């Protein structure tokens, strides 16, 4: 098992990086956040998971052990493969996945391209009780119905779930609980 790797980024490809380790270039599938921040020629450390299949050995890399663990949990869901798990981790942060599970919001998973309503429900059921204990429940604030509505409006407008949640977090704490006003404030986040 290859648990981590450290080396120079030799090449960036769609959804993957080639990392030079000891004279060998390893192709590593990564979430979009890792690929976006990686620069050719830069040194990179990744926590990895080697997925052994009958016809292939695929290596996947993550910024931290928590994201790697979430990847493994997603792989345990019937109907979710490595490509879909990476798509989920590319569109949603670890915290947004926790919130979606704790708040029982399968529609957030269904917004990821390739994830249908049935698969979203399966993901939600499989991850319940596995994405953190009571401390996580206390640490992750519940989204109000109004914020859920604003999140839905932003993703309908074409923003990713990560972008929409960042905009929600930028809304001042003393902002009114009116959906239209909160949406206006969230949209201001993107114009700044």
């Amino acid at each position: 098992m290859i648990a981590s790797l450290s080396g120079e980024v030799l090449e960036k490809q769609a959804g993957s990086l080639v990392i030079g380790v000891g004279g060998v270039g390893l192709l590593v599938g990564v979430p979009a956040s890792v690929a976006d921040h990686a620069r050719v020629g830069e040194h990179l450390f990744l926590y990895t998971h080697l997925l052994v299949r009958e016809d292939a050995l695929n290596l996947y890399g993550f910024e931290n052990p928590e994201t790697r663990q979430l990847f493994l949990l997603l792989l345990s869901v019937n109907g979710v493969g490595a490509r879909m798990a990476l798509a989920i981790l590319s569109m949603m942060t670890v915290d947004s996945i926790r919130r979606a599970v704790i708040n029982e919001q399968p529609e957030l998973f269904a917004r990821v391209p390739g994830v249908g309503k049935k698969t979203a429900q399966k993901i939600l059921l499989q991850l319940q009780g596995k994405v953190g204990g009571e401390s996580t429940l206390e640490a992750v604030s519940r989204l109000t119905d109004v914020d859920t509505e604003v999140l839905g409006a932003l993703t309908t407008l074409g923003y990713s779930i990560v972008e929409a949640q960042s905009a929600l977090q930028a809304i001042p704490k003393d902002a009114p609980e009116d959906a239209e006003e909160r949406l206006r404030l969230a949209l201001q986040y993107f114009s700044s």
Side-chain angles (χ1 to χ4, degrees):
M1 180 67 157
I2 301 171
S4 67
L5 63 86
S6 180
E8 180 184 346
V9 178
L10 301 176
E11 185 180 335
K12 287 176 70 167
Q13 299 177 4
S16 62
L17 300 171
V18 176
I19 310 290
V21 180
V24 176
L26 299 174
L27 181 65
V28 184
V30 293
S33 61
V34 174
D36 291 345
H37 292 104
R39 302 283 176 252
V40 174
E42 180 178 272
H43 187 83
L44 186 65
F45 177 87
L46 295 172
Y47 294 91
T48 61
H49 175 71
L50 179 64
L51 193 59
V52 180
R53 297 279 187 227
E54 198 172 293
D55 59 343
L57 298 172
N58 295 315
L59 192 60
Y60 298 94
F62 309 94
E63 294 174 301
N64 54 56
E66 186 178 30
T67 308
R68 177 179 59 188
Q69 184 59 35
L70 193 51
F71 176 77
L72 295 174
L73 285 172
L74 288 167
L75 287 180
S76 71
V77 177
N78 189 20
V80 175
R83 191 171 287 167
M84 186 180 292
L86 277 182
I88 292 168
L89 290 170
S90 293
M91 293 286 295
M92 301 174 73
T93 64
V94 172
D95 285 339
S96 65
I97 292 171
R98 281 189 181 134
R99 279 190 209 105
V101 171
I102 291 169
N103 294 329
E104 297 183 9
Q105 296 174 305
E107 65 274 7
L108 295 180
F109 291 107
R111 291 186 179 131
V112 175
V115 179
K117 289 182 181 181
K118 287 183 181 180
T119 303
Q121 281 287 359
K122 287 181 192 177
I123 292 169
L124 183 71
L125 291 172
Q126 184 72 28
L127 297 185
Q128 282 182 338
K130 296 181 181 175
V131 292
E134 289 180 28
S135 60
T136 302
L137 189 58
E138 293 166 6
V140 178
S141 61
R142 287 189 167 267
L143 284 178
T144 64
D145 290 339
V146 173
D147 283 347
T148 302
E149 188 178 333
V150 172
L151 186 72
L154 290 171
T155 55
T156 301
L157 289 171
Y159 295 103
S160 73
I161 293 171
V162 173
E163 291 170 329
Q165 288 183 333
S166 296
L168 274 177
Q169 291 172 353
I171 295 173
K173 302 280 186 228
D174 59 347
E177 285 298 315
D178 175 53
E180 289 178 20
E181 179 63 18
R182 291 180 77 76
L183 178 58
R184 186 183 67 74
L185 291 168
L187 288 171
Q188 284 179 351
Y189 168 81
F190 295 112
S191 64
S192 58

